[in-house]
């Protein structure tokens, strides 16, 4: 008997125990989500001007009669006439980097009317130092890239629970260090540390959750994990409205994770992993508790009923299987085509998703309102994908979502700077909702495009290259767009999304309802390979009876 069959025969596919444990492992993903995007508000763009020789060292007001305004904006970040200075909701701006005598300034005075204290103010991340802002966010994704490799190996070697708990400890330590870091480079290193913990918590939570529930509920479990990630963004946006001192905000984000230290006693090791390691007594303790909660009874010495393949027993007889490498993804034409297209899709999707999250007001509107609203939109988007992915197919969801996201961005650019608030929020909602759906769909679609013999290698490359897109998004949204204008973010994001949609339709096959490919030969020969191999057993049996 396979472990799946045994487990769900006696415990059910989604019993009370599974629901409790799945809920527990999903909770930390809320904090992971807040850490991932906390820099958006720790470094939120606030008006500032050059410090004048006549300004006092402390508490000098932002507005002064000694400088001329360059523009005024309203709460929706739309330009208004300078004559509206002084009206409610209107903020006027000065030249940020140059004094009246055209001399470059290196010290600044910030507007504290809406935001108390930002990291930008603390370390003067202004003008020619604005690249630091993007670098700090990019550090998070560099850490995440390293964590994906490290925790992926550790999870299979020392167990899911230990990795999960270790990642929580690293996250808490680095999160509090972020709040007190005296230098920007130390802050960036701590951000890299929280990024490093990200896959150890989020990915392991998904793995634990998927290993707990039956096949019928695994797709829903993946969606629910994404829902908790969206909830984290909503909570972050609300907290950022009330805690406008970046150090206090970081402490507020980090502190709930202290509760997760109790998981050492509350969350058991994965029974599936323990069985794969032949640690049956420990697995029995976990499953007996689960059976007690679910009101069922397990047979004695149940592990003796399991197949060797389930328990990590001996492999099939014959010559050892050839070890494939990343280079094999490019050796044959059909697999090479799929690989190149998928390796383009992952960084584009990651870039658009994180870029729109980091700069939620790029299409206009208030960053706090847009950020929260865009996070809310992710929830229905995830459920729409869940309902449609096995009805209309993966390829159409991917291509359609990418096209909608890209089209909304390009239409916003064509409409100019003074887009009405309701239109800006609508365009943001469609863009963020579409790219969220695409992100969810590609996690289902990509593994189905690669053969079993090299699937893990391919997905490892996909995860790594996606972080490249997130790093690019950091520099585009937090440096280039702020320095040179939003057009330098909207056009690349929009064009790349539309191009990705076209490439999906032209070069990738639909995989809905098809068996997972096992070998590279099956990928190359397609339907003809499956037809010939389906007929072989029939031919053989016919010969034997002849």
């Amino acid at each position: 008997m396979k472990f799946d069959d045994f487990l769900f025969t006696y415990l059910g596919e989604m019993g009370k125990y599974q629901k409790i444990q799945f809920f527990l492992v999903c909770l930390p993903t809320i904090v992971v989500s807040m850490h991932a995007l906390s820099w958006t508000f720790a470094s939120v763009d606030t008006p500032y001007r050059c410090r004048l020789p006549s300004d006092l060292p402390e508490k000098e007001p932002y507005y002064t009669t000694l400088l001329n305004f360059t523009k005024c904006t309203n709460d929706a970040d739309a330009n208004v006439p300078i004559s509206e200075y002084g009206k409610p909701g209107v903020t006027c701006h000065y030249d940020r980097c140059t004094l009246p005598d055209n001399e470059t300034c290196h010290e600044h005075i910030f507007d504290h009317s809406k935001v108390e204290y930002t990291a930008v103010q603390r370390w003067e991340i202004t003008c020619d130092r604005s690249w630091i802002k993007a670098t700090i966010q990019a550090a998070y994704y560099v850490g995440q890239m390293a964590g994906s490799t490290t925790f992926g190996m550790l999870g299979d070697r020392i167990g899911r629970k230990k990795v999960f708990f270790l990642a929580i400890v690293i996250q808490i330590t680095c999160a509090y260090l972020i709040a007190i870091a005296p230098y920007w480079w130390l802050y960036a290193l701590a951000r890299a540390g929280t990024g490093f913990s990200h896959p150890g918590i989020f990915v392991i939570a998904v793995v634990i959750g998927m290993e707990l529930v039956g096949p019928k509920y695994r797709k829903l479990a993946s969606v629910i994990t994404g829902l908790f990630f969206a909830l984290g963004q909503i909570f972050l946006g609300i907290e950022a409205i009330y805690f406008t001192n970046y150090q206090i905000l970081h402490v507020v984000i980090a502190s709930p994770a202290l509760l997760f230290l109790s998981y050492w006693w509350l969350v058991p090791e994965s029974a599936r992993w323990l069985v794969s390691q032949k640690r049956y007594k420990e697995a029995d303790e976990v499953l007996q508790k689960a059976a007690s909660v679910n009101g069922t009874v397990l047979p004695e010495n149940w592990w003796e009923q399991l197949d060797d393949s389930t328990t990590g027993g001996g492999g099939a007889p014959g010559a050892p299987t050839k070890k494939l490498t990343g280079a094999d993804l490019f050796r044959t034409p059909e697999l090479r085509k799929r690989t190149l297209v998928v390796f383009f899709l992952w960084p584009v999707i990651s870039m658009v998703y994180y870029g729109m999250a980091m700069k939620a007001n790029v299409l206009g509107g208030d960053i706090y309102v847009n950020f929260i609203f865009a996070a809310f939109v992710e929830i229905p988007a995830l459920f729409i994908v869940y309902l449609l992915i096995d009805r209309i197919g993966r390829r159409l969801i991917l291509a359609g979502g990418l096209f909608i996201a890209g089209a909304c961005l390009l239409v916003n650019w064509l409409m100019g700077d003074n887009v009405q608030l309701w239109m800006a929020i609508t365009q943001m909602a469609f863009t963020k909702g579409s790219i969220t759906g695409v992100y969810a769909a590609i996690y289902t679609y990509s593994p189905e495009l690669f053969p079993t013999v090299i699937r893990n290698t391919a997905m490892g490359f996909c995860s790594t290259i996606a972080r490249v897109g997130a790093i690019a998004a950091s520099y585009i949204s937090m440096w280039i767009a702020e320095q040179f204008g939003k057009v330098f973010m909207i056009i690349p994001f929009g064009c790349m999304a539309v191009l990705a949609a076209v490439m999906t339709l032209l070069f990738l096959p639909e995989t809905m309802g098809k068996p997972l490919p096992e070998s590279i030969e099956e990928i190359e020969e397609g339907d003809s390979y499956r037809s010939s191999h389906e007929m072989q057993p029939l031919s053989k049996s016919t010969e034997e009876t002849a």
Side-chain angles (χ1 to χ4, degrees), residues 17-26 205 209 212 221 224-225:
Y17 177 82
Q18 288 101 316
K19 290 175 183 176
I20 293 171
Q21 290 297 321
F22 185 63
F23 177 74
L24 287 176
V25 298
C26 280
L212 278 171
I224 291 174
T225 309

Side-chain angles (χ1 to χ4, degrees), residues 338 390 394 444-452 455 509-519 522-523 526-531 533-534:
R338 295 187 185 188
D390 287 329
R394 289 83 160 110
T444 299
Y445 191 35
S446 294
E448 297 173 344
L449 291 169
F450 296 102
T452 301
R455 185 174 295 122
E510 180 53 69
T511 59
M512 181 181 67
K514 295 182 180 179
L516 289 175
E518 298 293 336
S519 65
E522 188 174 347
I523 291 286
D527 292 337
S528 61
Y529 178 92
R530 282 190 288 273
S531 298
H533 281 66
E534 284 168 2

Side-chain angles (χ1 to χ4, degrees), residues 194-249:
T194 57
F196 183 78
S197 71
H198 181 138
I201 298 172
F202 185 78
V203 176
I204 296 297
V206 172
V207 170
I208 292 174
M210 300 288 263
E211 290 181 342
L212 278 171
V213 303
K216 179 181 175 183
Y217 291 94
R218 283 177 186 158
K219 189 171 65 174
L220 179 61
S222 179
V223 169
I224 291 174
T225 309
L227 184 149
F228 275 84
F229 197 82
L231 286 176
Q233 294 181 48
I234 294 169
F235 293 152
L236 172 62
I238 294 171
E239 289 173 359
I241 291 173
Y242 292 101
F243 301 100
T244 59
N245 181 315
Y246 87 95
Q247 293 176 301
I248 296 174
L249 177 63

Side-chain angles (χ1 to χ4, degrees), residues 273-385:
W273 181 80
L274 290 170
V275 167
S276 74
Q277 302 297 306
K278 298 188 177 182
R279 292 161 61 174
Y280 302 123
K281 294 295 183 184
E282 294 171 69
D284 186 53
E285 290 178 12
V286 174
L287 294 181
Q288 289 292 353
K289 182 178 179 181
S292 175
V293 173
N294 286 2
T296 60
V297 178
L298 298 181
E300 293 203 7
N301 299 331
W302 49 263
W303 51 89
E304 295 175 358
Q305 304 177 25
L306 302 180
D307 296 342
D308 282 345
S309 60
T310 297
T311 61
T321 304
K322 178 189 173 184
K323 297 286 186 182
L324 299 180
T325 67
D328 290 289
L329 290 167
F330 301 94
R331 294 194 194 282
T332 53
E334 177 62 26
L335 185 57
R336 179 167 57 244
K337 179 180 71 176
R338 295 187 185 188
T339 300
L340 290 172
V341 174
V342 171
F343 281 11
F344 176 75
L345 293 180
W346 274 86
V348 168
I349 294 167
S350 179
M351 180 180 70
V352 176
Y353 176 84
Y354 283 108
M356 298 308 293
M358 285 184 268
K359 197 166 182 63
N361 63 336
V362 69
L363 303 184
D366 178 79
I367 188 168
Y368 296 92
V369 174
N370 284 21
F371 186 91
I372 295 170
F373 187 73
F376 263 117
V377 168
E378 290 195 21
I379 297 172
L382 289 167
F383 282 103
I384 289 171
V385 170

Side-chain angles (χ1 to χ4, degrees), residues 126-201:
T126 56
C127 301
D128 59 350
R129 286 167 55 85
S130 58
W131 59 271
I132 295 173
K133 182 176 178 179
T135 301
I136 289 174
Q137 181 62 17
Y140 184 92
Y141 299 117
V142 172
Q144 189 178 353
M145 194 185 300
S148 296
T149 304
T150 305
F151 288 121
M153 292 187 297
L154 284 178
D156 289 334
R157 187 165 298 178
I158 68 173
R160 280 69 159 127
K161 175 180 176 177
K162 290 177 182 176
V163 166
F164 193 58
F165 189 79
L166 175 63
I168 288 172
V169 171
I170 292 172
Q171 183 199 71
I172 292 171
T173 304
C174 292
Y176 280 112
L177 180 58
I178 284 173
I180 62 173
Y183 309 106
W184 74 263
W185 56 266
L186 184 58
Y187 183 103
L189 284 176
R191 284 283 294 164
T194 57
F196 183 78
S197 71
H198 181 138
I201 298 172

Side-chain angles (χ1 to χ4, degrees), residues 425-474:
I425 293 177
T426 301
Q427 290 171 333
M428 166 57 75
F430 274 97
T431 303
K432 188 74 182 300
S434 298
I435 204 66
T436 297
V438 168
Y439 220 147
I442 200 169
Y443 271 100
T444 299
Y445 191 35
S446 294
E448 297 173 344
L449 291 169
F450 296 102
T452 301
V453 292
I454 202 168
R455 185 174 295 122
N456 281 345
T457 300
M459 291 307 296
F461 279 117
C462 287
S463 178
T464 300
I465 204 168
R467 303 288 81 77
V468 174
I471 292 169
S474 302

Side-chain angles (χ1 to χ4, degrees), residues 6-42:
F6 160 77
L7 194 61
F8 307 122
T9 297
Y10 292 100
L11 294 182
E13 293 199 61
M14 183 61 101
K16 181 179 178 182
Y17 177 82
Q18 288 101 316
K19 290 175 183 176
I20 293 171
Q21 290 297 321
F22 185 63
F23 177 74
L24 287 176
V25 298
C26 280
L27 283 177
T29 66
I30 293 176
V31 179
V32 169
S33 175
M34 290 194 285
H35 280 302
L37 295 165
S38 61
W39 182 239
T40 298
F41 298 106

